[in-house]
Amino acid sequence: DSIEKNTEGLLADGQDQQTNSVYHPLQQAEEENQLHDNVESNEMLRNYSSSETDSDSSSGSDSDSEVGKYFYPQIEQLEMAKQPEPGMKFETLEDAHRFYNTYALLTGFEAKRGTNYMRKKFHLICNRSGKSRATPDLQRKRKRKSIEKTNCQAKVIVKLTKGQWEFTTVRNEHNHPLCPSASLTKFYLSHKHISTEERSFLKVLQRTRIPPNKVMKIFRRMRGSFGSTPFKKKDGTNLLCAEQHRKENSDVGRMLMYFKEKELQDPSFQCMKQTDEDNIVRSVFWTDARSRMDYKIFGDFLLFDTTYTTDRHNMLFAPIIGINNHGRTLLLGCALLHDESAETYKWMFETLLHVMEDKMPVSIITNQDEAMAKAIGEVMPQVRHRLCKWDVLEKAQQNISAFIAESGNIKADLDSLVDNSLTEKEFEEGWDALIERYGASENEYLQILWQRRKNWVPVYFREDFYPFVQSHGCDKGMNLLFNDYVLSIDRIEKFIERYEEIHKNITKTDEEDRLQTGTVPSCFSLQPIEKHAADIYTRQIFLKVQRELLHSTAFNVQEVQRGAVYRLNKVFNYENPEFDRNNFEVQVESGTNAFKCQCAKFTRDGILCCHIFRLFTQFGINQIPEQYIVPRWTEKFREEKEKQYKEKCSEQMDTTMRYTNFMTKMADLGKTICSDGAKYDAFMLEVDKIQENFATAQK
């Protein structure tokens, strides 16, 4: 309120002098705002990195030089602002500039420094001073970065006299419209300002990957309203660009130094490099002992994600992802690749197998990439390779967006056909009907999708092990693992930093899942089969099985062929069904007690579907048959595999394996010790004694 009142006072004092000024605040603010919106990041770099030549003076302070030539007045300065007059004196040139800039803010124009004489006499002028250029072509497009010059004579001349800066000449008359509203003039370049503290806080928010719109919400809340925030969302983005340009991108060198330090600190850490004929590092693959052990146990199913690239070197960031016995994500290794060629991918897969002692995965899912498919076919020909359905459909939408817009519901119908087909014949007949219905027989991209259907449509992989890809969105989420941590194009240091952070979070989650082993989960029913599932499965897998048991209550059973074929009819709708259809058939072999459902969930995910569970209830089967218990999802599976792995490691007795055994044992011991303060103190005393004994022995 005081700012607005002071504005009115200043306007009243200068009303007689400013007879040529017309009040058009919205027009003026829009023009200046358009100018600022198009300031490129390199301009921001110049503004933030150093001041203009004419802004340097012996009386300048460090804080002022950091801000540059733009000032934003404090509340006290706004309240004490008044019209400039000849004879006013200031301690420094910056003080004089701040005073005039505050007056300009409240009056409604933008002030800037003009010419100077031997750095002892400066002109502070209106940004519309100077003559306008001739415009012979009246039809030419208006330049958004230009300001219309009106030869405005408003200015002050400040001169260094006896150690002080004095206003010797003052002209307050303008020949153009003014914009005397603080909420609008704050968008003028000379009034835009991000303080040192705000800039530091902004960098912290950007490093933690807070989106720009949320950053603005935080600053608005801090300052009270939108109108009191003297910068815009794009200013934050430009600041980030300027920050990245100021840093010389020595990512590759730092990365190699970091990996070298990791190898010295952790003997189990492995880093493999691909070099060219000049011995220059082109690609890098790295993993550690825990990841290698996880690969030995859970390396039957892998996800490869090549969504992300580094900003300067355009290297592909390729994390190798697996699924543990809790159905959660694992990081089994990572690669930085210099290009997307088949040779580079071939090196990555060969390196992976070499580090993992030639253990082959059973199934792999990747992004749509012909070079990667070729490399997999050459290095791992027996592996079942599937393309990410979500990635294929997203690229299809981009390529045929115009056709989709004209055709109406073809996208929804295509998604439904892909997701809900239970047999290859059903999908192929549905595809023909879809193409005919929308007249898409001549669409080349849809023809390509049809030709490659066996590489990405889920129904062609119904008999292959792709755990929870279809049912719980892993197919879509495979390239979302790093979304909250890194940008799609980012610096190498950021990828490595976030990789370590995600790896720690995954390890922490795994330890929390292990601690749940001794607890009893809640059951929603009194069925013995639910209690049996709770006893054999890990907690997270049990929750998935429990969901299937719950959904089984939504079906009625109809016998189609006596003792052999049964139809399950949905009589009650439930949320997020895996297949949006009402009928399923289950085949039964009474002699072998074998059940096979159309949905093929058991072969895909390794757990029984709700349709078979409904038949179990019908037949009075109270326990899950042994042939339908996949050891991978049980509580004891990891313990047994780890024991075998440790025994193998003890036979080899090399440094890497000893380190793995030691860290695993310490992790198990730490669970018991850290919960008891006395035990922890006693244990740490013993560790100190061991360290002292080792130090004495080495002497």
Side-chain angles (χ1 to χ4, degrees), residues 292 296 355-359 640-654 656-658 660-661:
R292 291 204 306 277
K296 280 288 185 181
V355 172
M356 302 303 179
E357 300 179 359
D358 294 325
K359 175 182 171 62
E640 294 174 354
K641 290 295 182 180
E642 284 184 352
K643 183 179 179 181
Q644 296 174 7
Y645 185 78
K646 293 173 185 177
E647 290 175 353
K648 182 179 179 180
C649 294
S650 63
E651 294 175 0
Q652 298 176 352
M653 292 304 292
D654 58 13
T656 301
M657 301 310 174
R658 284 195 296 269
T660 302
N661 291 338

Side-chain angles (χ1 to χ4, degrees), residues 198-448:
E198 289 174 332
R199 188 178 294 116
S200 300
F201 182 50
L202 179 59
K203 291 178 182 178
V204 171
L205 297 178
Q206 290 171 337
R207 287 168 185 162
T208 52
R209 300 309 184 205
I210 305 298
N213 58 336
K214 292 186 179 180
V215 170
M216 287 303 298
K217 288 182 181 179
I218 293 173
F219 275 96
R220 290 169 194 168
R221 182 65 61 88
M222 291 171 57
R223 286 181 171 263
S225 68
F226 171 78
S228 59
T229 306
F231 58 90
K232 298 173 64 179
K233 180 171 68 175
K234 190 169 183 178
D235 296 326
T237 305
N238 288 342
L239 178 62
L240 178 61
C241 294
E243 179 74 13
Q244 291 181 347
H245 282 301
R246 275 199 299 270
K247 287 185 176 181
E248 193 65 31
N249 196 331
S250 57
D251 285 0
V252 175
R254 292 183 182 181
M255 173 188 67
L256 296 178
M257 290 179 61
Y258 171 79
F259 287 151
K260 187 174 182 179
E261 293 176 359
K262 287 283 291 183
E263 288 175 332
L264 293 174
Q265 297 171 2
D266 182 359
S268 67
F269 182 85
Q270 285 196 2
C271 175
M272 310 294 287
K273 308 176 189 67
Q274 181 193 33
T275 58
D276 59 14
E277 61 275 5
D278 298 323
N279 203 30
I280 297 176
V281 175
R282 309 297 291 172
S283 301
V284 180
F285 173 88
W286 72 92
T287 187
D288 58 17
R290 185 185 182 94
S291 295
R292 291 204 306 277
M293 184 174 66
D294 286 339
Y295 183 91
K296 280 288 185 181
I297 301 173
F298 305 112
D300 51 351
F301 169 66
L302 299 181
L303 296 162
F304 285 89
D305 180 12
T306 54
T307 303
Y308 307 96
T309 57
T310 62
D311 55 356
R312 178 109 173 197
H313 303 282
N314 199 31
M315 297 179 73
L316 288 176
F317 178 70
I320 301 168
I321 303 167
I323 303 293
N324 66 7
N325 59 328
H326 299 278
R328 295 191 188 273
T329 300
L330 287 173
L331 280 178
L332 304 176
C334 193
L336 279 167
L337 309 175
H338 79 281
D339 62 20
E340 299 179 80
S341 66
E343 287 300 319
T344 300
Y345 285 132
K346 183 178 179 181
W347 173 85
M348 180 184 71
F349 290 122
E350 289 176 343
T351 304
L352 172 67
L353 294 180
H354 172 73
V355 172
M356 302 303 179
E357 300 179 359
D358 294 325
K359 175 182 171 62
M360 286 279 185
V362 176
S363 54
I364 292 177
I365 185 168
T366 70
N367 298 106
Q368 187 177 0
D369 191 306
E370 293 184 4
M372 182 179 289
K374 179 181 178 182
I376 292 175
E378 293 179 1
V379 180
M380 299 178 288
Q382 67 273 40
V383 174
R384 192 78 164 104
H385 178 211
R386 171 180 173 180
L387 301 180
C388 172
K389 177 198 71 176
W390 178 79
D391 183 55
V392 172
L393 292 178
E394 183 184 41
K395 290 180 179 178
Q397 183 175 358
Q398 295 172 359
N399 282 276
I400 59 173
S401 57
F403 180 78
I404 292 176
E406 294 176 358
S407 303
N409 295 327
I410 187 173
K411 182 181 183 301
D413 290 348
L414 177 60
D415 291 341
S416 177
L417 176 64
V418 171
D419 293 338
N420 295 308
S421 296
L422 295 181
T423 65
E424 297 177 13
K425 181 180 179 181
E426 179 182 349
F427 172 77
E428 292 169 359
E429 291 177 352
W431 181 276
D432 291 338
L434 178 75
I435 295 300
E436 183 179 354
R437 181 163 62 252
Y438 290 98
S441 58
E442 301 299 325
N443 190 287
E444 295 182 0
Y445 199 85
L446 288 177
Q447 292 177 9
I448 294 175

